[in-house]
Amino acid sequence: MEARRASPALTPEERREVTLANWRLRPFSTWSFQHVAEVVPSAVIPGSGAAEPEVAPLGALAEIEVSHHAAGAMPLPAFLDAAESDAFVVMRRGEITAEWYAPTCDPLAPHIIFSVSKSVTGLLAGALAGAGLLDFAAPVARYIPEAEGSAFGDATVDQLIDMAVSIDFDESYLDKTGAFDRYRRATLWNPERPGAAGEDLKGFLCTIPKGDWPQGARHEYRSPDTDMAALVFEAASGRRFADLLAEYVWGPTGAQGPLHYTVDRLGAPRAAGGLSMRARDLARLGEMMRVNPPGPLQDWIAAIWAGGDRARWAAGNQKAYYKGGSYRAFWYETGQGELAGMGVHGQWLWIDRARETVIARLSTEAQPIDEALDMSVIAMLRAVAAA
């Protein structure tokens, strides 16, 4: 595969301008999102190392007209460019049939997938439950005793992986002074304040208080849930996150490139948003979800496709995305026959079983959350899948 190297290459002076304080901001993110391991401490899971085929052109898909909420109808390549996309991979019946890459994107470089990491992490729950190592009905404190008294202590594992925890935490991605900044500093994603004693991730999670509603009453999207879930999985299995992912997820997908994930000062995984991989390998993971091959995850993937508690979703804080949908094991079940993984700054994995199509999109959108653009992207993904 002819790799399209990031252009222009950074000079030493330009590289020194990328810091913990700005790595998630444009223009720095066009480089850092493909080089997270240079910015934040990271663990690495190797891929197969097999040679990649040549980039597949968009072909007829380039002629599809899709609608951008701010600019109207336009051809697909123009949409991808206007939406600050980096990589776009379409897979049909297990074969990569169309691709698009921005000039600054190297197809062989692992790109951060942010909260699509949650969906990858959620697969481990079924593997461990199937092995008899994890009890969905057990309280989190059974596995993480330090969580007793926090938002997580009396939440069940099932509530945790469906994001139905009663939690007093503001998911404020641009926060610079409050709990979310403290969370980011505990994960080594933000610079530490001068003179402050650094926290580790588990220690921080165990200080988050409960909300004022019953556990399990509604879907409440909060990233700390997934980081706590990864700690539960490690405690339940006695194995590191890397070993679990390698056995149950990365190997079975047939991934050819490496998977990176960021870690805190004690090696705890940032499972909620710290995974990086090639766009093609993200599509391969989606293909595993689509065909659901025999193996330790088969029953669990079937359960994810069946969806979660729809009443809980309808009462939750993300219901506007998928009317009639649900949320199960950190996956979005759209209510229209698709599964999705979604991440800030425009990361997407889209799986349409009826059309035998998987789409991976990686981006450096300037804003962490842009709901109007997200709705345009969902419509675009459906149009491509239907083409």
Side-chain angles (χ1 to χ4, degrees), residues 206-255:
C206 292
T207 68
I208 300 176
K210 289 180 68 171
D212 58 2
W213 64 93
Q215 299 282 17
R218 65 179 190 245
H219 167 73
E220 191 75 12
Y221 185 90
R222 295 293 182 263
S223 289
D225 291 4
T226 313
D227 290 320
M228 179 59 77
L231 296 176
V232 168
F233 300 159
E234 288 192 332
S237 65
R239 301 173 66 192
R240 287 198 69 195
F241 188 65
D243 299 324
L244 295 172
L245 281 181
E247 177 179 350
Y248 292 114
V249 179
W250 208 234
T253 65

Side-chain angles (χ1 to χ4, degrees), residues 17 22 30 82 95 130 137-138 160 192 194 213-214 267 317 325 345 357 374:
E17 292 178 0
N22 65 24
T30 58
E95 297 293 329
L160 182 68
E192 193 53 79
W213 64 93
N317 65 347
H345 297 286
T357 298
D374 287 343

Side-chain angles (χ1 to χ4, degrees), residues 279-297:
R280 283 181 164 187
D281 284 333
L282 181 58
R284 291 177 178 117
L285 189 149
E287 178 67 7
M288 181 184 73
M289 295 296 294
R290 184 185 76 84
V291 301
N292 194 11
L297 293 178

Side-chain angles (χ1 to χ4, degrees), residues 64 70-71 78 136 138 168 180 183 203 242 247 255 261 263 283 285 316 319 326 354:
I64 294 176
F136 288 156
D168 183 5
F180 205 88
Y183 175 39
E247 177 179 350
Y261 67 88
V263 296
L285 189 149
K319 60 187 176 183
S326 65

Side-chain angles (χ1 to χ4, degrees), residues 127-147:
L128 297 182
L133 299 173
L134 185 68
D135 181 358
F136 288 156
V140 168
R142 176 188 297 181
Y143 301 100
I144 308 294
E146 303 95 319

